């Protein structure tokens, strides 16, 4: 997947829309014997590895499932506390799946709004006159492009660092947004686009965005024949 | 193609050095506030990148660019952060920042600490030798021109 996600943020930094296109997450499953050789801690309501990086399990990876059953925050699927469960030697041997923590929708909302402020600070700290905010942020794993419209809406796209043609994609997404959201008489401006808005549901916006994403020429992706909402 | 300015921060966020070459617009706030704002912004960008990244990152945040300037970022294992603002023509300054750290900065940094037992880590580097060496190094860079584009 060359394009990882699409976000839209309104003029005051509030969240409007979000779409994720990646499924692959680095995960590692291992069978453990008592005692456990990784040190775990609770962070943000999740059980996270704090020490003991090996075999694909990295520091910061969250505990996703025990013996195939997905965990629920810091409790197992049956409701027992994970840390207590792992201290009990009678439960071993067991197999645990570690991986990058999946972000809840709340957790996705926060960085999107945080970016709005960082965008403004980037323009204030500029050594040159007349700079806009942050248009492109690059790391070794992804590139984040931001297009700010004249009305203050920010359209943000996370892509692979080698991906090109993003400017056109951003303009195309802007076009889709204005066609589907703004021309809809039931849509209130600057509100999140969700299935609760009468007449406009998330599926109807996703399909055209999905088409726009698959049409971006990419050295890494084949054209996809079917669309998944 | 030009370099606008350069900041060096330590692990706790205090600014160790700041150099300016071609800056056209001041931030409108005092220098101390600007350092704190810059450090805070980069701290937030880093934590934000590690959350948003779909895969585990090796090096982390590298650069960002706006319509007028590009900010390059380099962090060492000890927490020393070097930030350079250039114009948009510069491709990837990571190696240059690494050079600044290892030859200019660490070379003089170590000398400064070793030869000056009274100096305190975490305070502004007030060594003139350091400033002039860094200045010469920046001016010698292939993409630096005194008259900004």
């Amino acid at each position: 997947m060359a394009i990882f996600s699409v976000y839209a943020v309104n003029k005051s930094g509030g969240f409007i829309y979000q779409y994720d296109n990646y499924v692959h997450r680095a995960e590692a499953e291992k069978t453990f014997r008592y005692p456990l050789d990784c040190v775990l801690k609770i962070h943000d309501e999740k059980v996270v590895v704090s020490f003991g990086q090996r075999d694909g399990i990295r520091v910061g990876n969250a505990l996703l499932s025990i013996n195939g059953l997905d965990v629920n925050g810091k409790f197992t699927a049956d409701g027992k506390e994970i840390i207590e469960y792992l201290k009990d030697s009678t439960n071993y041997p067991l197999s645990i799946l570690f991986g990058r923590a999946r972000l809840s929708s709340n957790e996705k909302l926060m960085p999107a709004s945080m970016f709005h402020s960082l965008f403004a600070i980037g323009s204030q700290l500029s050594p040159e006159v007349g700079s806009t905010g942050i248009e492109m942020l690059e790391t070794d794993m992804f590139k984040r492009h931001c297009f700010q419209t004249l009305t203050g809406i920010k359209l943000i796209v996370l892509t692979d660092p080698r991906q090109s043609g993003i400017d056109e994609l951003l303009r195309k997404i802007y076009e889709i947004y204005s066609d589907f959201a703004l021309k809809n008489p039931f849509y209130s401006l600057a509100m999140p686009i969700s299935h609760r808005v009468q007449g406009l549901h998330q599926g109807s916006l996703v399909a055209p965005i999905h088409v726009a994403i698959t049409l971006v020429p990419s050295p890494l992706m084949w054209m996809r024949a079917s669309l998944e909402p | 193609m030009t370099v606008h300015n350069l900041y060096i921060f330590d692990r706790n966020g205090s600014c160790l050095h700041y150099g300016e070459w071609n800056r056209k617009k001041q931030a409108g706030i005092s220098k101390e506030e600007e350092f704190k704002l810059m450090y805070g912004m980069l701290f937030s960008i880093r934590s934000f990148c590690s959350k948003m990244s779909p895969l585990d990152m090796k090096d982390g945040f590298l650069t960002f660019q706006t319509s007028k300037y590009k900010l390059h970022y380099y962090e060492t294992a000890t927490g020393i952060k070097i930030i350079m603002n250039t114009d948009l023509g510069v491709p990837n300054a990571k190696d240059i920042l690494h050079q600044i750290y290892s030859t200019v900065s660490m070379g003089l940094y170590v000398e400064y600490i070793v030869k000056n037992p009274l100096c305190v880590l975490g305070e502004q580097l007030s060594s003139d030798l350091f400033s002039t060496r860094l200045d010469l190094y920046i001016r010698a860079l292939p993409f630096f021109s005194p008259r900004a584009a």
Side-chain angles (χ1 to χ4, degrees):
Chain A
M1 309 294 138
I3 302 205
F4 298 131
S5 3
V6 178
Y7 293 83
V9 178
N10 71 18
K11 199 163 55 166
S12 31
F15 168 80
I16 294 183
Y17 180 73
Q18 191 264 328
Y19 172 64
D20 274 333
N21 194 33
Y22 56 91
V23 179
H24 166 72
R25 283 192 159 286
E27 285 172 354
E29 179 147 26
K30 242 176 81 71
T31 309
F32 290 94
R33 299 202 167 284
Y34 185 80
L36 203 60
D37 49 5
C38 322
V39 176
L40 300 172
K41 67 171 186 192
I42 299 209
H43 176 73
D44 268 354
E45 292 300 313
K46 283 192 277 272
V47 179
V48 166
V49 175
S50 92
F51 184 78
Q53 177 163 316
R54 51 177 277 197
D55 287 347
I57 302 170
R58 304 185 58 164
V59 171
N61 277 4
L63 198 148
L64 298 174
S65 70
I66 298 183
N67 285 336
L69 299 166
D70 279 341
V71 302
N72 184 9
K74 46 185 189 187
F75 300 100
T76 64
D78 331 334
K80 298 199 245 326
E81 261 211 55
I82 293 180
I83 307 279
E84 296 303 318
Y85 186 79
L86 292 173
K87 281 193 187 142
D88 190 357
S89 61
T90 54
N91 294 320
Y92 288 81
L94 42 71
S95 94
I96 306 183
L97 180 70
F98 287 100
R100 277 188 72 82
R102 286 169 200 137
L103 298 172
S104 69
S105 53
N106 213 24
E107 286 172 345
K108 285 180 195 155
L109 218 146
M110 277 194 323
S113 308
M114 207 193 307
F115 185 73
H116 169 85
S117 327
L118 296 172
F119 184 91
I121 297 179
S123 132
Q124 188 187 13
L125 286 174
S126 159
E128 284 254 26
V129 178
S131 166
T132 65
I134 299 177
E135 284 185 353
M136 198 266 290
L137 193 147
E138 181 173 355
T139 74
D140 52 348
M141 283 292 148
F142 67 91
K143 256 192 189 168
R144 184 179 230 266
H145 297 257
C146 174
F147 171 56
Q148 180 169 43
T149 69
L150 293 166
T151 49
I153 307 280
K154 286 188 220 350
L155 298 163
I156 297 159
V157 164
L158 245 80
T159 74
D160 189 276
R162 293 156 287 183
Q163 183 69 43
S164 60
I166 297 299
D167 286 335
E168 282 154 45
L169 175 69
L170 283 167
R171 292 201 179 14
K172 185 80 191 145
I173 293 181
Y174 184 31
E175 219 179 280
I176 295 172
Y177 167 73
S178 53
D179 281 341
F180 281 81
L182 299 179
K183 292 181 187 171
N184 183 330
F186 298 115
Y187 173 64
S188 347
L189 220 53
M191 286 291 119
I193 297 175
S194 75
H195 61 276
R196 288 190 299 270
V197 176
Q198 193 179 13
L200 171 82
H201 70 96
Q202 205 164 29
S204 71
L205 199 59
V206 165
I209 287 189
H210 203 85
V211 174
I213 288 176
T214 54
L215 289 176
V216 173
S218 154
L220 309 166
M221 256 169 47
W222 298 99
M223 281 283 252
R224 268 203 260 155
S226 62
L227 302 170
E228 294 124 42
Chain B
M1 294 243 274
T2 179
V3 176
H4 296 302
N5 51 10
L6 181 103
Y7 303 76
I8 301 183
F9 289 101
D10 75 349
R11 202 167 32 187
N12 305 320
S14 29
C15 182
L16 300 175
H17 184 78
Y18 169 70
E20 195 172 279
W21 286 271
N22 256 327
R23 185 173 191 166
K24 304 226 197 58
K25 166 183 161 288
Q26 298 301 321
I29 45 179
S30 80
K31 271 283 170 275
E32 268 141 39
E33 286 184 19
E34 186 188 324
F35 296 152
K36 283 193 232 169
L37 190 61
M38 175 63 84
Y39 186 79
M41 176 177 80
L42 287 160
F43 189 82
S44 308
I45 289 184
R46 265 183 45 233
S47 76
F48 162 90
C49 284
S50 67
K51 273 211 165 150
M52 293 246 89
S53 169
L55 306 162
D56 288 319
M57 299 206 293
K58 279 190 317 276
D59 287 329
F61 164 59
L62 297 170
T63 78
F64 76 67
Q65 75 183 49
T66 74
S67 61
K68 293 277 180 193
Y69 76 99
K70 195 166 182 181
L71 181 142
H72 305 262
Y73 175 81
Y74 177 70
E75 183 177 358
T76 71
T78 51
I80 306 279
K81 299 165 184 45
I82 307 187
I83 291 129
M84 184 158 77
N85 287 340
T86 69
D87 75 343
L88 295 174
V90 178
N92 191 355
K94 183 158 184 256
D95 300 320
I96 293 162
L97 293 179
H98 179 70
Q99 281 279 314
I100 292 180
Y101 175 66
S102 59
T103 59
V104 180
S105 166
M106 273 328 270
L108 292 171
Y109 193 61
V110 168
E111 217 175 282
Y112 183 65
I113 298 173
V114 166
K115 304 224 167 139
N116 195 348
L118 300 172
C119 91
V120 178
L121 270 171
E123 274 185 7
Q124 272 243 339
L125 301 174
S126 50
S127 160
D128 285 335
L129 192 59
F130 178 76
S131 316
T132 44
R133 276 278 196 101
L134 186 63
D135 189 54
L136 284 172
Y137 183 81
I138 296 278
R139 284 181 196 277
L141 286 173
F143 49 75
F144 180 83
S145 82
R147 279 185 313 282

